[in-house]
């Protein structure tokens, strides 16, 4: 029995960390969340649930479905008002499936706090306030004008905004580690 529990824990941790790492990298670099990545995570989750009889942290299939529907219902209105991208909405729904409904509010709150801090720094940088702090202003300029950053901007094809899915990914790892592991 201990072997099955170890496999289950390693499988679920690996699934969540892999998904969240990939979403973080994609969203930060090109401001996209690939559908194929989300579908692969859902397929792995379904397979894992069939094999182990439960989802991450022992959630049931009913909790997984409820979490997905709640995640979708909470973020679709934000998408409708153009306050959020489609990838953010889909990823939050997938997190609902993976983590269950109980994790959604803490994930949302932590991600929103992180995104809010990002927005404040972005605003200050755009308003040249960071130049009042010489070292921080220098770092911001070095990053902005670096060849690496310019290639990232080019790869985004005009997509801009705060990488909210990346912050959802960080928050999901934090919340799941507190709740389940």
């Amino acid at each position: 029995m201990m072997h099955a529990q170890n496999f289950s824990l390693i499988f679920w941790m690996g699934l969540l960390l892999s998904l969240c790492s990939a979403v973080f990298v994609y969203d930060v670099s090109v401001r996209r969340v690939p559908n194929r990545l989300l579908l692969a995570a859902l397929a792995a989750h379904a397979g894992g649930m069939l094999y182990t009889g439960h989802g991450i942290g022992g959630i049931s299939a009913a909790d997984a479905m409820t979490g997905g529907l709640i995640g979708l219902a909470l973020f679709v209105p934000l998408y409708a008002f153009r306050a959020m991208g489609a990838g953010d909405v889909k990823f939050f729904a997938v997190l609902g499936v993976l983590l269950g409904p109980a994790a959604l509010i803490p994930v949302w709150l932590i991600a929103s706090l992180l995104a809010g801090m990002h927005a404040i720094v972005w605003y200050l940088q755009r308003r040249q306030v960071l130049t009042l702090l010489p070292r921080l202003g220098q770092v911001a300029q070095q990053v902005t004008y670096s060849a690496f950053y310019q290639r990232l901007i080019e790869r985004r094809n005009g997509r801009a905004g705060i990488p909210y899915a990346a912050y959802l990914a960080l928050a999901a790892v934090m919340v799941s580690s507190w709740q389940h592991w």
Side-chain angles (χ1 to χ4, degrees), residues 59-181:
I59 67 168
S60 67
D63 281 344
M65 292 303 295
T66 302
L69 291 173
I70 289 172
L72 198 59
L74 288 174
F75 275 20
V76 164
L78 295 171
Y79 173 74
F81 289 113
R82 298 286 185 226
M84 187 163 295
D88 303 327
V89 174
K90 292 180 282 187
F91 182 53
F92 194 62
V94 169
L95 288 176
V97 170
L98 296 178
L99 301 176
L104 290 178
I105 296 300
V107 166
W108 172 72
L109 289 173
I110 293 167
S112 296
L113 179 65
L114 294 171
M117 290 188 302
H118 180 133
I120 289 168
V121 169
W122 181 82
Y123 177 80
L124 293 175
Q125 194 241 351
R126 298 290 275 182
R127 297 287 180 206
Q128 303 295 314
V129 173
L130 293 182
T131 57
L132 299 176
L133 305 169
R135 183 66 187 135
L136 196 53
Q138 288 173 346
V139 170
Q141 269 191 325
Q142 286 174 344
V143 169
T144 301
Y145 296 113
S146 71
F148 175 75
Y149 185 76
Q150 292 302 316
R151 283 192 303 274
L152 281 181
I153 296 297
E154 200 174 291
R155 288 184 63 208
R156 290 180 186 162
N157 293 326
R159 288 182 299 274
I162 293 171
Y164 194 70
Y167 295 125
L168 286 170
L170 286 175
V173 170
M174 291 168 64
V175 168
S176 68
S177 67
W178 295 332
Q179 288 185 338
H180 303 298
W181 315 123

Side-chain angles (χ1 to χ4, degrees), residues 22-36:
V23 166
F24 184 87
V25 169
Y26 270 105
D27 200 31
V28 166
S29 62
V30 293
R31 300 296 194 268
R32 292 187 58 82
V33 179
N35 289 337
R36 67 184 181 278

